[in-house]
């Protein structure tokens, strides 16, 4: 068991977090979303072990990318993530989380959370979802791995602000989970604690 945990540390950490998230969902909503949770968990397990086996058998080969092309991809992804972030700010007239302090009742807070993107174009809703669950988390993790401290700090702060703005606890987990796993794997415990407390 210990050897498995050591060999698959990132996988084990993510699986534990996924387990606790599933317990939270069942506690608050019952078995209503059990099928969706099973799809996510099964897909994750299947993808991890199938891709892992293909990589070990060298069935998948990666071609190296020239450094200058990586730089262009990096700049392109940064611009895309920031543009979607700005589009959200404009469409929502500021992130909903900033209006939280003007609410006085639980009903107003619930309504504020439920009405996010109510009048937004569907394309922006999808782009926003990709941004907060994909682009931003990837960039934060990427800058952590590349040890680009300034870029990492800027995107981590923006990411926390972005996730808080949508008034959903799960989004802050999506935002920092990949980087937390990397920080544990690379034994960057200071980064791990800072991101965990966010």
């Amino acid at each position: 068991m210990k050897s498995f945990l050591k060999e698959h540390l990132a996988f084990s950490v993510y699986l534990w977090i996924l387990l606790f998230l599933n317990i939270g969902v069942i506690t608050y909503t019952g078995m209503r979303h059990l099928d969706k949770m099973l799809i996510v968990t099964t897909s994750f397990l299947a993808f991890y072990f199938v891709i892992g086996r293909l990589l070990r058998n060298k069935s998948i080969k990666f071609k190296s990318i020239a450094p200058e092309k990586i730089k262009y991809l990096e700049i392109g992804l940064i611009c895309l993530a920031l543009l979607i972030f700005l589009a959200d700010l404009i469409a929502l007239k500021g992130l909903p989380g900033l209006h939280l302090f003007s609410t006085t009742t639980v009903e107003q807070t619930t309504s504020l959370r439920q009405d996010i993107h109510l009048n937004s174009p569907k394309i922006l809703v999808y782009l926003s979802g990709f941004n907060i669950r994909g682009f931003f988390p990837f960039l934060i993790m990427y800058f952590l791995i590349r040890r680009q401290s300034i870029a990492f700090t800027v995107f981590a702060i923006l990411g926390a602000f972005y996730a808080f703005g949508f008034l959903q606890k799960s989004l802050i987990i999506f935002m920092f989970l990949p980087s937390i796993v990397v920080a544990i794997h690379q034994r960057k415990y200071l980064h791990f604690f800072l991101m965990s407390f966010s």
Side-chain angles (χ1 to χ4, degrees):
M1 184 67 175
K2 286 184 178 179
S3 60
F4 178 85
L5 290 173
K6 188 177 288 186
E7 187 179 350
H8 303 275
L9 180 61
F11 165 80
S12 302
V13 171
Y14 185 83
L15 196 61
W16 273 106
I17 292 171
L18 195 60
L19 175 65
F20 284 117
L21 284 174
N22 287 343
I23 291 170
V25 170
I26 291 171
T27 302
Y28 284 100
T29 64
M31 298 295 181
R32 190 172 55 193
H33 300 293
L34 184 62
D35 55 338
K36 302 179 188 74
M37 289 153 41
L38 286 173
I39 290 171
V40 171
T41 306
T42 306
S43 300
F44 168 68
L45 292 170
F47 180 84
Y48 184 84
F49 286 110
V50 169
I51 295 298
R53 175 165 289 188
L54 290 174
L55 288 173
R56 283 194 296 273
N57 296 336
K58 296 182 179 179
S59 301
I60 299 177
K61 295 180 181 179
F62 295 100
K63 293 182 179 180
S64 58
I65 302 174
E68 60 272 10
K69 289 185 179 179
I70 292 176
K71 196 68 182 175
Y72 290 137
L73 290 171
E74 177 186 320
I75 293 169
L77 188 56
I78 290 171
C79 291
L80 178 62
L82 291 176
L83 282 172
I84 297 171
F85 175 71
L86 288 173
D88 262 332
L89 286 178
I90 294 168
L92 301 174
K93 298 177 182 177
L95 292 176
L98 299 177
H99 305 296
L100 183 64
F101 304 105
S102 62
T103 60
T104 55
T105 65
V106 176
E107 289 76 15
Q108 287 177 334
T109 304
T110 305
S111 177
L112 181 64
R113 184 186 294 121
Q114 291 176 343
D115 291 345
I116 294 172
H117 281 311
L118 182 65
N119 300 313
S120 300
K122 285 188 178 180
I123 185 66
L124 181 58
V125 177
Y126 283 111
L127 288 174
S128 180
F130 277 114
N131 206 26
I132 206 164
R133 292 179 176 86
F135 302 151
F136 258 81
F138 175 81
L139 284 168
I140 294 169
M141 180 185 68
Y142 173 79
F143 292 131
L144 177 65
I145 294 171
R146 293 292 298 271
R147 298 181 180 178
Q148 297 180 12
S149 300
I150 295 174
F152 168 78
T153 304
V154 169
F155 270 85
I157 292 171
L158 275 178
F161 175 72
Y162 202 4
F164 168 75
F166 281 87
L167 301 172
Q168 294 182 36
K169 294 177 184 177
S170 60
L171 293 181
I172 198 75
I173 297 173
F174 279 113
M175 189 64 69
F176 289 107
L177 182 59
S179 299
I180 287 173
V181 171
V182 168
I184 293 171
H185 187 262
Q186 296 185 348
R187 299 180 181 179
K188 296 181 178 180
Y189 298 118
L190 178 61
H191 290 84
F192 166 71
F193 283 115
L194 289 173
M195 287 184 290
S196 297
F197 282 117
S198 64

